[in-house]
Amino acid sequence: RYLYCLAMALWDLDYLDSRLGSRSATCRFIAQWAVNVVDFRDRDSIMTCFEYDPNPFTAQGWRCDGDPTTNDGINEPHVVWGCERPELLLTETLALHDRRVEDLNTDSSGKYTTETNNPDDDFDQRLRPRGSLFVELYNPWTTNEPIHPELYGTGSEGPGVDLTRRAPDGTPVWRLVIVPYTQGATPQPDPADPNQPSTPVIERSVYFVNPPGTLYTGETADTQRYYPSVSGSLILPPGRYALLGPAEKTTKTAKNPRTTYLGIDGTLTVTQTEADVSTARRIELNPNGTPPIQVLNNEIFDFPAANVKRPLVVLIDEPYRLSVTEPTGKGSDSYYPSTDAGAGGSGAEYDETATSYAGYQKPFDTPLDKTRPGDIWDTLRKDGYYPHYRVIHLQRLANPLAAYHPQRNPYITIDSMPIDLITFNGIADDSAHPDHSGGNLSYAVTRERGEWWELNDPNPSSTLNNLWRHEPEDHTPQDRGAGTQPNYRLQPNLAHSLGFLNYRLNRGVASARRVPTRTGLYLGDPQQPFPWLTWLNRPFVNQYELMLVPATNQYELLHNYRTVLGSPNPYLPSGPADLQFPHLANFFHSARTPRGNNPTHNAPLLYRLFDYVGVPSPYIYTEIQIPPHNAAASTGHFFKPPFNRIPLYREPGRININTLTSPAVGEGLVSTFPGLWDMTLWDLFVASRKGSTPTGSTDPLAIQRAMVTCDPNLPSRFSRPFRSWFGSYLTAESTGLPETDEVEATLLRSVSVSGVRRPLLENRRTQEYAHCDYNPYFRYQGFQKLGNLVTTRSNVYAVWITVGYFEVDANDKLGTELGLDQGEVRRHRAFYIIDRTIPVAFERGKDHNVEKCILLRRFIE
């Protein structure tokens, strides 16, 4: 609340209104950033709920009671949820639908479609259509990161995200929801965002445990829930993958319940299914097998047997196999018939294992998908590739330790990904029939995270793997050269990386297919490291670490995440594409300081906040701690616990950056950290403080001479000292120096590099492990190093005073010192330590509390 109110008072709200569209959006942006500061700092993984007042400066004061279910007289709920680091990512999806229709004469028509007299007008249904959905999850963190007990458990291979974790009321902490694709929306609407005018309907939801009967956020009576029929521990360790896939509950509905078939290369008899064809292309899932995932008869695109840590395989079979195309079994979209087409509903039970027949004993004359309500048949009737057919969202409870509540503890969307659909007929060739002709299935690929980034990388030579950035939903995946096998019903091989590193993220591998054949390396890791998503989960070291706090909500975090491209100008960005890190607040954006009584700005002026916040000194005697019982709320005291501390405004151990005259001292300030300090930076630093042009030299003596040399065009050797942002107004108009932005008076001031303004003190390292373009932590490391070590004020002074006696003539001209000619000079000397941070009053001729600022006094003689 304090950060929110402080930002509302300091930032340029009118400018933010113009950029965000309304004052309401501005207040939400500021509130979101303020609560993110809390969750960026604390160690837990609980998303903090913050109810904010859109106008806290009224006579009523703060009007919110902290309960998001009440109105509080501010017309609508104003609530944001803090952003926590994403513990899981969606990295790959694949949806299939096999029509499984044949041209038979054993149905009620008794005709083939090829007969000359009264032919059957469509294919027949002996085997049920089969929809399948595969979803790959990834734990992007490492074993070196501290775990969050709210979300982590311990399995046979150590700690990891517990996918089966429940809240105290039995609500599953994790879930996946599947919604229709919203045409033209980038990003797609968040189904968990109550602030949207409309949210997409949740068609299907997926849980890792059997959920209670309660309907959760976004679910309706028509939402079908899917979950595993077999309960058990599901722990996903850091750096590992989990694959959710479909399965059948019984062998009657599938001879191999854990197998998804991708077409055969022959024909079937009425007693056979694909399981009877050994060469059938198929995806086999076996949670306890070695390997647990196989894609067989798919040429080289199979799960690599070596150098792969076992992925976690989760079989979803309740109430039906996991899919986006099979009937939901809800409302008018009833599931496929359990008995065949016998007259009067007295047909035999569906059974793929019967000896005299397989599937429906009496096949249906019309394809089952053709009789379903709606226009689903228009999509499924022909072989096709349908990009972004559906969208899947990964969600978790805001507080895993509390019971579910739609307002107080809802599901929050962490990540999302499109689902592409591949439709085909895997058991017969139906391409010549009018119902099925006109398909567009020229290749078959999974939707992989990282593909769009590689295909649209402005620097193709870059080896950066942008794991975190969300893939645009309207992107269509490209052919990865998987090839085809013309003798198969589904001719294209499946290009995939189910259960291991995505091919597009495996940059640095020469093969176009990026087949993982390396030895001695874990194939879940890339050749080049992923960028690091900074998440401190610890107290701040100094105020400049606020620059690392995301400015988005949880859903927008990965949508906005991006590393530095090109040469952005953060001081005057042309738009979102011209920002260094769009998921962060831009504290550099500034405008020229206009002189006059009514200044106007064309920037948000976020940097102003740094002069009003800070981290308490770690030294003792820098604050007064009031006993909690004396500062309790009942006493009416302003400094209530845990804020029962009054600072003494002392900053021991800091160096005044304006009195810094040695490059060695500057190097010591950054602990000789490479890239943060060198003679080139020292030259720029000296010139910036002086207000002159850099010498262009790396010679310390040359730079030192330039620092102390007077420039006739400047009023001082230090014409542009480091100050607060308001100090920019103190620049004399007659100095010849141009008016500067407010930010140019602060540590965030800029320097021109190749005609582009860049922060003077930013890190310039380009090593892969600490590249300043890959992560804001490294780029802003200079500010983090200096933020709590330097000051623009010299607070404590050592003062020597020497008093001598001199002759003065009638014109007040100083003459000879008394006693000099006799060798009897009398002088008085004293030494004082003065702390000017201690407030004292001065009035001529009166002694108020001046003595308080004198810490030490010694009379020498």
Side-chain angles (χ1 to χ4, degrees):
R1 177 159 64 94
Y2 293 160
L3 275 175
Y4 170 77
C5 292
L6 186 61
M8 289 281 286
L10 293 173
W11 294 355
D12 192 316
L13 304 185
D14 292 335
Y15 176 82
L16 289 171
D17 293 349
S18 68
R19 300 294 295 181
L20 300 175
S22 66
R23 178 56 55 89
S24 176
T26 295
C27 294
R28 181 168 296 277
F29 164 77
I30 296 175
Q32 184 68 63
W33 179 82
V35 73
N36 285 352
V37 172
V38 175
D39 283 337
F40 191 74
R41 178 192 184 278
D42 61 28
R43 280 292 305 273
D44 62 49
S45 191
I46 298 171
M47 299 175 184
T48 302
C49 178
F50 176 41
E51 186 185 20
Y52 62 94
D53 190 333
N55 188 1
F57 305 123
T58 62
Q60 294 89 348
W62 191 261
R63 295 171 290 176
C64 300
D65 62 2
D67 185 350
T69 63
T70 57
N71 191 313
D72 299 328
I74 50 178
N75 300 325
E76 63 179 85
H78 294 79
V79 177
V80 290
W81 293 88
C83 190
E84 289 283 359
R85 76 177 196 184
E87 298 294 334
L88 296 174
L89 297 178
L90 291 164
T91 50
E92 193 167 5
T93 61
L94 169 67
L96 304 164
H97 190 89
D98 187 352
R99 292 186 296 277
R100 302 178 86 191
V101 293
E102 303 163 280
D103 193 9
L104 306 171
N105 68 348
T106 56
D107 63 326
S108 59
S109 71
K111 297 280 188 177
Y112 292 104
T113 61
T114 55
E115 295 188 21
T116 56
N117 294 323
N118 299 320
D120 195 348
D121 59 356
D122 50 29
F123 275 42
D124 309 309
Q125 197 85 58
R126 176 177 65 93
L127 300 175
R128 276 182 184 170
R130 182 172 286 154
S132 305
L133 172 62
F134 298 86
V135 180
E136 183 185 78
L137 298 173
Y138 178 61
N139 184 336
W141 304 99
T142 71
T143 54
N144 296 326
E145 300 278 348
I147 65 172
H148 295 292
E150 304 89 358
L151 298 174
Y152 272 64
T154 301
S156 59
E157 299 186 51
V161 174
D162 184 359
L163 300 178
T164 61
R165 182 65 57 92
R166 292 179 184 265
D169 64 341
T171 299
V173 171
W174 295 98
R175 76 169 182 175
L176 298 158
V177 296
I178 299 169
V179 301
Y181 174 75
T182 302
Q183 192 68 37
T186 303
Q188 290 285 290
D190 178 8
D193 186 357
N195 300 297
Q196 293 191 26
S198 62
T199 55
V201 176
I202 296 178
E203 295 180 339
R204 306 164 198 259
S205 53
V206 185
Y207 297 89
F208 298 94
V209 290
N210 186 0
T214 307
L215 289 178
Y216 299 129
T217 308
E219 290 183 327
T220 67
D222 291 331
T223 300
Q224 182 58 273
R225 291 175 165 185
Y226 296 83
Y227 52 92
S229 61
V230 178
S231 59
S233 176
L234 297 175
I235 304 296
L236 184 59
R240 304 284 279 277
Y241 297 86
L243 181 64
L244 282 68
E248 302 281 354
K249 287 185 292 185
T250 67
T251 56
K252 279 193 172 185
T253 54
K255 291 182 180 179
N256 296 324
R258 299 171 177 177
T259 300
T260 296
Y261 291 94
L262 304 178
I264 63 174
D265 57 350
T267 58
L268 299 177
T269 68
V270 294
T271 63
Q272 290 182 320
T273 70
E274 302 94 327
D276 299 303
V277 180
S278 61
T279 56
R281 187 184 299 130
R282 59 194 183 272
I283 303 174
E284 292 185 352
L285 302 181
N286 186 356
N288 299 315
T290 303
I293 304 168
Q294 284 186 287
V295 185
L296 301 175
N297 301 313
N298 194 47
E299 292 193 330
I300 63 174
F301 280 82
D302 193 6
F303 186 83
N307 304 326
V308 176
K309 295 178 182 178
R310 175 181 292 275
L312 180 67
V313 173
V314 184
L315 299 175
I316 307 295
D317 57 2
E318 187 70 45
Y320 316 109
R321 59 187 291 116
L322 181 61
S323 78
V324 295
T325 52
E326 286 192 356
T328 61
K330 294 294 187 76
S332 61
D333 195 19
S334 58
Y335 198 67
Y336 296 124
S338 58
T339 57
D340 66 18
S346 60
E349 181 182 8
Y350 182 81
D351 187 354
E352 293 193 6
T353 63
T355 57
S356 59
Y357 68 95
Y360 293 113
Q361 183 175 355
K362 185 70 172 178
F364 288 88
D365 178 50
T366 301
L368 292 178
D369 287 325
K370 192 174 182 179
T371 62
R372 291 171 58 184
D375 57 359
I376 186 70
W377 181 244
D378 293 338
T379 301
L380 304 181
R381 66 183 179 84
K382 57 188 177 182
D383 293 1
Y385 182 82
Y386 300 91
H388 42 76
Y389 176 73
R390 289 292 185 268
V391 178
I392 188 167
H393 300 275
L394 172 65
Q395 298 182 336
R396 51 153 280 204
L397 284 181
N399 184 357
L401 305 182
Y404 165 80
H405 189 278
Q407 286 85 38
R408 297 190 183 97
N409 190 25
Y411 277 102
I412 303 294
T413 304
I414 306 298
D415 195 13
S416 62
M417 197 170 187
I419 299 173
D420 304 328
L421 174 64
I422 297 173
T423 60
F424 64 98
N425 184 18
I427 62 175
D429 183 5
D430 57 4
S431 58
H433 191 276
D435 255 6
H436 311 295
S437 60
N440 66 340
L441 189 57
S442 59
Y443 59 88
V445 297
T446 58
R447 168 78 65 155
E448 287 188 342
R449 195 182 199 96
E451 177 172 294
W452 183 91
W453 172 261
E454 184 187 33
L455 295 177
N456 295 274
D457 191 344
N459 181 16
S461 63
S462 171
T463 57
L464 173 64
N465 288 312
N466 199 333
L467 169 73
W468 301 100
R469 181 170 183 176
H470 181 269
E471 298 284 299
E473 290 91 346
D474 55 0
H475 167 66
T476 299
Q478 302 297 302
D479 182 9
R480 300 184 201 127
T484 61
Q485 298 187 61
N487 53 326
Y488 276 80
R489 298 293 175 239
L490 175 61
Q491 294 187 6
N493 289 313
L494 177 65
H496 76 99
S497 57
L498 297 172
F500 56 97
L501 178 67
N502 291 358
Y503 292 132
R504 296 292 185 179
L505 293 176
N506 199 15
R507 306 184 76 168
V509 178
S511 170
R513 300 185 184 182
R514 299 211 171 92
V515 180
T517 57
R518 307 191 306 273
T519 58
L521 295 173
Y522 167 41
L523 297 182
D525 293 333
Q527 292 283 86
Q528 301 294 332
F530 295 132
W532 176 36
L533 179 62
T534 306
W535 216 272
L536 296 184
N537 280 334
R538 60 160 173 78
F540 292 103
V541 173
N542 59 71
Q543 67 269 33
Y544 292 102
E545 287 192 325
L546 294 176
M547 299 166 67
L548 304 175
V549 176
T552 69
N553 63 27
Q554 192 76 58
Y555 182 66
E556 294 170 343
L557 173 64
L558 301 181
H559 284 78
N560 291 359
Y561 177 88
R562 198 189 65 205
T563 51
V564 174
L565 300 178
S567 300
N569 178 4
Y571 295 91
L572 195 62
S574 59
D578 197 28
L579 296 176
Q580 293 181 331
F581 302 98
H583 64 292
L584 305 179
N586 182 13
F587 284 91
F588 298 98
H589 192 183
S590 56
R592 295 293 178 187
T593 301
R595 300 186 186 275
N597 296 324
N598 298 304
T600 57
H601 306 281
N602 293 309
L605 314 179
L606 308 188
Y607 50 83
R608 290 181 169 183
L609 184 78
F610 290 134
D611 284 333
Y612 294 86
V613 295
V615 175
S617 172
Y619 294 96
I620 62 173
Y621 306 126
T622 59
E623 62 184 9
I624 298 174
Q625 294 193 16
I626 304 173
H629 62 275
N630 291 338
S634 59
T635 65
H637 203 287
F638 184 77
F639 296 95
K640 302 179 181 66
F643 306 106
N644 54 315
R645 302 181 301 272
I646 301 176
L648 296 177
Y649 302 102
R650 294 187 62 230
E651 295 178 327
R654 297 197 180 208
I655 293 177
N656 189 337
I657 197 170
N658 289 319
T659 62
L660 183 61
T661 58
S662 168
V665 176
E667 191 176 22
L669 282 171
V670 298
S671 305
T672 64
F673 200 80
L676 292 185
W677 199 273
D678 53 30
M679 293 312 301
T680 300
L681 176 60
W682 175 246
D683 185 31
L684 296 173
F685 169 79
V686 168
S688 176
R689 190 174 60 182
K690 185 176 181 180
S692 61
T693 304
T695 65
S697 173
T698 58
D699 179 9
L701 294 178
I703 301 172
Q704 196 84 0
R705 285 193 296 270
M707 178 172 59
V708 299
T709 301
C710 288
D711 186 332
N713 298 315
L714 299 175
S716 168
R717 294 188 179 96
F718 301 97
S719 298
R720 293 186 61 209
F722 289 86
R723 293 169 163 155
S724 71
W725 60 269
F726 199 82
S728 62
Y729 291 85
L730 300 178
T731 303
E733 292 187 66
S734 60
T735 62
L737 293 175
E739 290 187 27
T740 60
D741 298 356
E742 291 177 349
V743 74
E744 294 296 339
T746 71
L747 280 178
L748 302 185
R749 64 178 56 187
S750 69
V751 63
S752 179
V753 178
S754 301
V756 178
R757 290 172 69 189
R758 294 182 57 176
L760 170 67
L761 298 175
E762 72 177 0
N763 186 4
R764 303 182 304 284
R765 301 185 73 189
T766 56
Q767 292 88 342
E768 288 292 328
Y769 63 87
H771 202 294
C772 66
D773 288 347
Y774 295 177
N775 189 276
Y777 182 88
F778 299 121
R779 196 175 190 91
Y780 301 148
Q781 202 163 15
F783 301 106
Q784 298 162 29
K785 281 280 187 179
L786 297 176
N788 62 342
L789 297 178
V790 300
T791 178
T792 58
R793 303 178 302 277
S794 292
N795 297 322
V796 180
Y797 295 86
V799 180
W800 285 91
I801 296 179
T802 301
V803 178
Y805 299 90
F806 296 80
E807 296 178 350
V808 179
D809 61 18
N811 296 320
D812 293 333
K813 183 178 179 180
L814 196 65
T816 305
E817 187 174 4
L818 293 180
L820 181 63
D821 50 353
Q822 289 88 18
E824 297 179 357
V825 173
R826 297 176 60 193
R827 296 177 183 172
H828 305 284
R829 290 193 300 166
F831 174 75
Y832 301 87
I833 293 181
I834 306 247
D835 187 349
R836 74 172 189 175
T837 65
I838 299 175
V840 297
F842 172 77
E843 186 177 357
R844 186 179 296 275
K846 295 183 180 180
D847 184 6
H848 292 292
N849 54 348
V850 177
E851 297 290 326
K852 290 184 177 181
C853 73
I854 303 175
L855 305 182
L856 176 71
R857 69 182 71 202
R858 292 289 186 271
F859 295 101
I860 309 303
E861 59 184 40

